[in-house]
Amino acid sequence: MPTPPENRELSPYTGWTRAHWEDTADRLLAAVRPYASPGGALVDLPGARPSWSGPRSDGLEGYARTFLLAALRAAHGDDPHHHLDRYAAGLAAGTARPGGDGPDDWPLLPGTRQAVVESASVALALRLTRRRLWDRLDDGVRARVAEWLLPALDPSPVDNNWWLFGLTVAGFLQDAGIETDRAAATIDRSLDRIESWFLGDGWYSDGDNRAFDHYNSWALHFYPVLHAHLAGDRALLDRYGPRLRAQLDDHVHLFDANGAPVPYGRSLTYRFAAAAAPWLGALTGHTPLAPGATRRLASGTLRHFLDRGATDARGLLTLGWYGPYDPVIQPYSGPGSPYWASKGFLGLLLPADHPAWTAREEPLPAERADTVRPFGPTGLLVQTTAADGLVRLHNHGSNHVGGDDDPGYARYAYSTRTGPTTAPDPADNHFALLRADGTATARGPATPLGTGPDRALSAHRPLPGVRVHSGTLAHGRAEVRAHLVLGAPEGTPVRQTGWTVLADGDGPVSQLHPVHGYAPEAAELPTGATLQGPGPTRTPALHGTTSGPAALFVALASLTGEPGPAPVAALADVRVTDAHTVVVTWLNGTTARMSLEAPDAEDQ
């Protein structure tokens, strides 16, 4: 099929229009058709790596997530390739003998936890197409599908965003007049559970922990707000809509001028699902973004991944970031998992004459001005520069769901154009004590110590009896990275690493300069592939040793896409005024003071 022509008058940044989104949806759906089971109930995509739930669950995942894409594509009655007919046939085949071992049999929700996740995509797709698909199904098929969905109304088997899968199934069943009292109870129970995780300023923790990542936008806001919108529940929308607006006020700062979202957290293979929340804001009116900015963000993100190999020669989304990249994949991910990116097509729920489709594209925040911005209660600090459109995210308080030293969570900093490195390579953007055998300590859970307009601080315990207080001050492209090591044995080696970049110099420039506590020369550690692409890469590093019960280490760092950048040492004058305090005078003459002794620090 021919590709729609670009429209640089309407879309000066991306060239894309609604026609490009429809065309991309059709191509993605056409590409998975050869992998459908005989009755269309399972979509068994190729791949040597099944999820931990097994191939049958993976086949359901392939069906459910692409069904959601088909439902969004056909939301306004335009289904020229008859996608919905194929998924309607799959509903009948999959529920004919659920729990069986036939080629089309769906797994049952009890006993297959991942099926609970996929039930939400099935239910949402049915809700979006109820009159066009559900209402036209045979009564027996409707009864079987409802019976298969009903166990999703039970309490969630996982205590995090999974509560919202039951909410989503309940919303559909309520609309369809099935078990309405039970569905209403599930909705109330699910919303009550996530309420304890809402910490303000648009941010939820994903469970009883401090996990702040893209799940805020593509799950924790997505499901409640979309449910309220589809249900026409004004009270719920008045409650959750302003939270979405606050989240988007931060979320929009996570996107590079080239369209990339910051690769931070888990489930990164969902890729352009990061565009779902901005579309949802436009759909409900709860957004700080102008219509043209919403489309510029979403189209830029979709193009970014498609232009960089997110689909293979068969047109299939791969497990990875651009091309396949195993280190970014979680054990729960299988070949069909990347199709949760279907959420990024939520804009197709907007009619063609909606301003988000008709307004002229506007620039992103990363293109308009330099920004340093803390993200509410998260301990995250975003830093963007307009000269290169690059986004950096500094982490001083967000942790992995499981609490381990996951590369997607445990680094001090992430960017839209670098890393993270993965074992056995040394960790990028990391501060560690070095053991006698040369191995580096893990960061472990980070305890936030406060944020300000230009900084974030945290603490962690790398070894028993040892505590490290850390802080980042940011201005323009410059970063002051300071660490106060408390209780380490005298002469303990330490290492600070910086931004990982390509060894051949193609791409952004990484700089790391010692200020206090380190040896005067920076080293370059050889590193390999990252999710950005193959190696070789190089990671700058500084080395020092502790002295006394409290040892302070300070460095200047920079990552920039500017050609021929000045040394980072020219961007700031940094003075250590006592055992735990640094004073920084930036190039523009402004001054900041940061103490690592107390939880909070103030500018002077």
Side-chain angles (χ1 to χ4, degrees):
M1 59 184 81
T3 301
E6 290 191 355
N7 184 338
R8 289 288 171 176
E9 179 62 29
L10 179 66
S11 304
Y13 293 91
T14 71
W16 274 31
T17 65
R18 182 188 177 92
H20 291 88
W21 283 82
E22 293 171 340
D23 176 70
T24 300
D26 287 336
R27 290 176 186 273
L28 290 171
L29 289 166
V32 303
R33 284 189 177 186
Y35 304 98
S37 58
L42 302 174
V43 177
D44 294 306
L45 296 172
R49 184 194 177 284
S51 76
W52 61 11
S53 299
R56 187 166 297 272
S57 174
D58 292 349
L60 172 64
E61 184 175 64
Y63 171 90
R65 299 186 182 198
T66 56
F67 182 23
L68 178 57
L69 178 57
L72 292 168
R73 172 65 178 94
H76 288 281
D78 185 15
D79 188 14
H81 301 286
H82 306 288
H83 300 306
L84 290 186
D85 291 344
R86 300 177 67 87
Y87 286 93
L91 289 169
T95 58
R97 199 165 66 98
D101 58 3
D104 282 293
D105 297 338
W106 282 1
L108 294 168
L109 273 64
T112 305
R113 293 199 314 179
Q114 187 63 33
V116 176
V117 182
E118 308 320 319
S119 72
S121 291
V122 171
L124 181 55
L126 289 170
R127 193 176 192 183
L128 295 174
T129 59
R130 188 161 66 88
R131 290 176 178 83
R132 298 190 60 209
L133 196 161
W134 176 258
D135 289 350
R136 299 181 181 182
L137 289 175
D138 177 88
D139 287 347
V141 175
R142 284 202 299 265
R144 296 201 310 266
V145 173
E147 184 178 3
W148 183 82
L149 287 171
L150 280 170
L153 301 187
D154 293 338
S156 172
V158 181
D159 197 26
N160 61 6
N161 69 83
W162 278 44
W163 285 95
L164 299 175
F165 304 139
L167 166 92
T168 302
V169 172
F172 164 66
L173 294 175
Q174 197 172 53
D175 278 3
I178 300 168
E179 297 264 6
T180 54
D181 289 345
R182 185 180 171 193
T186 295
I187 291 169
D188 291 342
R189 181 177 63 230
S190 300
L191 294 177
D192 285 347
R193 185 66 188 112
I194 69 165
E195 189 64 22
S196 64
W197 302 328
F198 183 66
L199 302 181
D201 297 323
W203 286 92
Y204 293 87
S205 175
D206 191 11
D208 288 327
N209 50 57
R210 291 188 56 82
F212 305 105
D213 58 20
H214 289 289
Y215 272 87
N216 264 271
S217 63
W218 65 41
L220 290 158
H221 287 280
F222 179 87
Y223 290 112
V225 176
L226 186 55
H227 163 71
H229 171 75
L230 295 175
D233 190 323
R234 177 52 55 185
L236 278 185
L237 198 56
D238 287 345
R239 181 181 189 181
Y240 293 104
R243 295 182 182 183
L244 171 63
R245 182 186 181 92
Q247 166 66 200
L248 291 175
D249 211 28
D250 286 340
H251 186 65
V252 67
H253 290 275
L254 294 175
F255 292 81
D256 194 297
N258 67 18
V262 175
Y264 164 72
R266 69 193 190 287
S267 301
L268 295 178
T269 196
Y270 302 156
R271 297 178 173 104
F272 40 85
W279 283 129
L280 183 58
L283 179 68
T284 62
H286 290 281
T287 180
L289 306 180
T294 297
R295 191 176 76 258
R296 189 270 180 271
L297 182 156
S299 293
T301 299
L302 182 57
R303 279 210 69 168
H304 179 82
F305 286 105
L306 294 180
D307 289 348
R308 289 164 177 79
T311 55
D312 63 17
R314 299 162 293 192
L316 302 175
L317 288 171
T318 58
L319 280 165
W321 184 246
Y322 298 134
Y325 184 66
D326 285 349
V328 82
I329 307 305
Q330 277 69 46
Y332 53 74
S333 296
S337 295
Y339 286 87
W340 229 33
S342 298
K343 291 181 176 183
F345 286 80
L346 193 72
L348 293 179
L349 289 184
L350 299 168
D353 61 356
H354 190 280
W357 291 117
T358 62
R360 183 179 170 87
E361 284 183 344
E362 299 182 19
L364 296 174
E367 298 169 294
R368 295 199 302 261
D370 291 1
T371 299
V372 178
R373 177 188 180 99
F375 282 175
T378 65
L380 299 170
L381 183 77
V382 73
Q383 175 189 17
T384 72
T385 41
D388 52 11
L390 206 155
V391 179
R392 311 148 192 85
L393 186 68
H394 303 282
N395 176 20
H396 286 274
S398 178
N399 298 307
H400 186 267
V401 170
D404 61 354
D405 219 46
D406 190 309
Y409 289 89
R411 304 291 193 259
Y412 280 94
Y414 298 84
S415 92
T416 47
R417 302 185 198 176
T418 65
T421 58
T422 55
D425 286 342
D428 63 313
N429 292 315
H430 186 56
F431 180 82
L433 281 62
L434 300 182
R435 303 181 182 89
D437 62 0
T439 58
T441 56
R443 186 182 186 187
T447 301
L449 296 180
T451 58
D454 61 352
R455 84 272 314 274
L457 300 98
S458 62
H460 74 280
R461 297 185 180 275
L463 292 171
V466 180
R467 184 175 174 88
V468 177
H469 289 199
S470 302
T472 300
L473 273 170
H475 181 90
R477 67 174 172 91
E479 314 155 31
V480 174
R481 301 181 176 187
H483 306 276
L484 182 66
V485 181
L486 303 170
E490 183 81 12
T492 299
V494 303
R495 183 178 71 197
Q496 167 77 68
T497 54
W499 299 101
T500 296
V501 294
L502 289 171
D504 63 9
D506 187 19
V509 176
S510 173
Q511 298 175 340
L512 188 62
H513 175 74
V515 173
H516 181 83
Y518 297 112
E521 297 297 327
E524 284 195 354
L525 306 178
T527 43
T530 70
L531 56 75
Q532 302 287 344
T537 57
R538 57 181 177 83
T539 302
L542 301 174
H543 293 85
T545 55
T546 60
S547 177
L552 181 63
F553 299 90
V554 185
L556 273 164
S558 166
L559 178 72
T560 180
E562 297 180 50
V568 67
L571 304 182
D573 176 65
V574 184
R575 292 181 292 117
V576 174
T577 59
D578 57 39
H580 50 73
T581 305
V582 296
V583 175
V584 184
T585 302
W586 304 110
L587 191 60
N588 67 356
T590 59
T591 302
R593 175 182 178 275
M594 181 171 67
S595 172
L596 298 181
E597 180 184 44
D600 299 307
E602 298 179 351
D603 291 340
Q604 68 171 29

